[in-house]
Amino acid sequence: MLAAMDIDLVGLRAAAHVAGFAFTDAELEALRPGLERAFEQLARLEQLPVAAIDPAIQYRML
Amino acid sequence: MADLIWASMTELARMIATKEVSPVEVVRAHLGRIAALDDRLRAYITVCDESALEAARAAETALASAVPAGALHGVPIALKDLFETAGVRTTAGSKILGEAVPSADATVVTRLRAAGAIVLGKLNMHEFAYGPEGLNDHYGHARNPWGGVEARIPGGSSSGSGVAVAAGLAPGALGSDTGGSIRIPAALCGITGLKPTYGRVSRAGVLPLSWSMDHAGPMARTAADCALMLGAMAGYDPADATTSVLPVPSYVAALNGDVKGLRIGLLRSFFLESSAPEVRAAVEAAVKLLADQGAVVDEVSLPHLADVPAATMAIIGSEALAYHAAWVRERSADYQRDVVERLRAGAFITGVQYVRAQQLRVLVRRGVDEALTRRDVLLAPTAPITAPRLGEREVSIGGVATDARSALIRFTRPFNFSGHPACSVPCGFVSGLPVGMQFVGRPFDEATVLRAADAFQRLSDWHTRRPVVD
């Protein structure tokens, strides 16, 4: 996972490339503030007691 | 004519079945109102006037020689434009699918037609259902009929569904709800909207935003009409592997109007305490009304809600981009700006984050289940605010500036995340704008959720108020 400190244009460009997308620098700049907030929040998920929980990938109520 | 426009679906079905009124008259009345008002309201993307009249004439002929085909015989409805319709374009509010014409109906459309419903047309929406404001750069922004001279957003993503039902351009509509897209426009437009349990209603033939979070459901002016529609829509569908085989009860029969002894858990922490004071007051007044009639109310809180926004972003971001990846690479200029930016953000979600989010989902579901072990329903505001002005990016909640988009989805997405059924009903007005509250129930217990919502509407008249749009 990208940590908040890693959110610069070079890192975003590389991550997008690895994911198979070629976003322009302007497009990446537009995303950066929101991604910084999102990564901070997503990092909190690592602190949750979920390691032994089966993920709801195929989610069924019954 | 006004009687036909503002009659409930339940009343229309009865009047048609008893031949008090012809389905042709009902459909003509609605088509006339659409023609008169929709240039301004922009609820519809496509109006199916010829096929609707043809279906109405067929319904009239059928009624002359037989009993009604189903519970909705001759009753008009409209569909959010992501429900596929055979021979009628299904745009998802996009330029990309602007000329896409499916060859078959979505399962729920097939079922509603089989129950006798007549499709008036396809409704406006936030592009590809990816936004709670209900904005659309391609077909024009649907306009909240309660805004008066001010342009107010209707909420989304099922914006056209909210506007059409609130303004009398359809007595009922289909919506979809991934983070609140049925309940938010229901609240902001002053109507009733039900997000059923995940797996209760088929999504086969419904263009996806996020497979594991998408729900399809009814929007109407009353809970009774939502019950009528849900009864026609719900049930196992072999074309949608997530649908449940549990039998579908009679939702209409469950509406006994009784709240005596109904155990209601009021969600103050995170929900009520984070709402605008006027919204909080409206919900508290509604709670008092229910308690005065014998409902047993206590307060309860749910765990892990602070982490739901990040987790839903990880899930919806990943799943939405998986569906849109080719278009994002090849046709990004054809999206409206806010939508393509949300889609691009999904490229930076890792597999680990996606799985963590799906693991959290299990914890949140357990928390909601636990709160409902000793209660019949939970109750919370649907949104912390009333309808923002068009273009208003920040709103004030108790004097604190807050991002409008985040505020709109804050109270609804936990129940997309958990999958529990939730129904939004009008519970007051602030400065002429509707306030909504939502009843949340146990999995597959839509009957109790609708019973509570209907009982509240028998005690109140907020759902009978009409906007001035003529």
Side-chain angles (χ1 to χ4, degrees), chain B residues 74-433:
Chain B
V75 177
I77 59 165
L79 315 172
K80 183 178 184 179
D81 203 17
L82 50 56
F83 290 87
E84 292 188 333
T85 39
V88 178
R89 69 173 177 163
T90 300
T91 68
S94 72
K95 180 178 178 183
I96 287 171
L97 294 177
E99 304 303 323
V101 180
S103 59
D105 283 343
T107 296
V108 287
V109 176
T110 300
R111 289 180 177 180
L112 286 165
R113 288 194 209 268
I118 294 171
V119 174
L120 291 170
K122 309 296 292 292
L123 294 164
N124 205 348
M125 55 185 287
H126 206 107
E127 186 188 28
F128 285 114
Y130 211 173
E133 303 94 337
L135 304 177
N136 194 294
D137 289 348
H138 309 295
Y139 301 95
H141 306 319
R143 183 164 173 161
N144 193 317
W146 289 101
V149 294
E150 288 185 314
R152 298 252 174 194
I153 64 166
S157 63
S158 309
S159 48
S161 306
V163 174
V165 173
L169 307 188
L174 281 187
S176 68
D177 192 320
T178 305
S181 291
I182 287 174
R183 290 161 289 156
I184 294 165
L188 269 51
C189 293
I191 65 165
T192 305
L194 173 72
K195 181 201 80 66
T197 312
Y198 188 83
R200 180 74 294 182
V201 172
S202 169
R203 288 99 36 86
V206 185
L207 298 173
L209 172 58
S210 173
W211 292 280
S212 72
M213 301 274 283
D214 291 342
H215 303 63
M219 300 170 74
R221 290 189 286 267
T222 67
D225 284 357
C226 286
L228 188 65
M229 288 181 71
L230 183 65
M233 296 161 59
Y236 175 69
D237 176 14
D240 179 352
T242 65
T243 51
S244 170
V245 296
L246 283 176
V248 177
S250 170
Y251 299 111
V252 173
L255 309 180
N256 61 14
D258 190 8
V259 294
K260 190 164 187 198
L262 184 77
R263 297 167 300 174
I264 299 174
L266 179 63
L267 295 168
R268 183 173 297 280
S269 172
F270 187 86
F271 293 90
L272 209 55
E273 70 182 15
S274 306
S275 298
E278 303 84 359
V279 170
R280 187 162 61 233
V283 175
E284 285 174 334
V287 170
K288 182 175 185 308
L289 183 62
L290 290 162
D292 287 347
Q293 296 299 313
V296 180
V297 181
D298 70 349
E299 294 190 8
V300 63
S301 59
L302 301 175
H304 303 297
L305 295 185
D307 293 313
V308 167
T312 51
M313 183 269 184
I315 294 171
I316 297 175
S318 301
E319 295 185 5
L321 185 58
Y323 178 75
H324 285 271
W327 291 328
V328 168
R329 290 188 182 104
E330 295 158 16
R331 299 188 62 178
S332 63
D334 289 337
Y335 287 96
Q336 66 187 48
R337 183 176 169 180
D338 64 317
V339 171
V340 77
E341 287 189 355
R342 277 169 213 150
L343 287 168
R344 285 181 183 132
F348 301 93
I349 303 299
T350 69
V352 172
Q353 289 166 333
Y354 179 83
V355 172
R356 288 283 180 267
Q358 293 287 12
Q359 288 172 307
L360 175 64
R361 199 166 179 173
V362 177
L363 286 185
V364 171
R365 180 191 162 179
R366 284 179 190 163
V368 182
D369 284 342
E370 168 66 23
L372 284 162
T373 52
R374 290 181 304 281
R375 299 172 187 87
D376 300 302
V377 289
L378 307 177
L379 183 60
T382 306
I385 52 174
T386 55
R389 292 176 186 84
L390 182 65
E392 197 173 18
R393 304 287 291 271
E394 277 194 349
V395 292
S396 173
I397 299 179
V400 178
T402 306
D403 175 66
R405 179 176 188 271
S406 300
L408 285 171
I409 56 179
R410 185 179 301 157
F411 297 165
T412 47
R413 66 183 159 195
F415 307 110
N416 297 81
F417 200 67
S418 74
H420 291 76
C423 181
S424 179
V425 295
C427 68
F429 278 77
V430 175
S431 303
L433 298 171

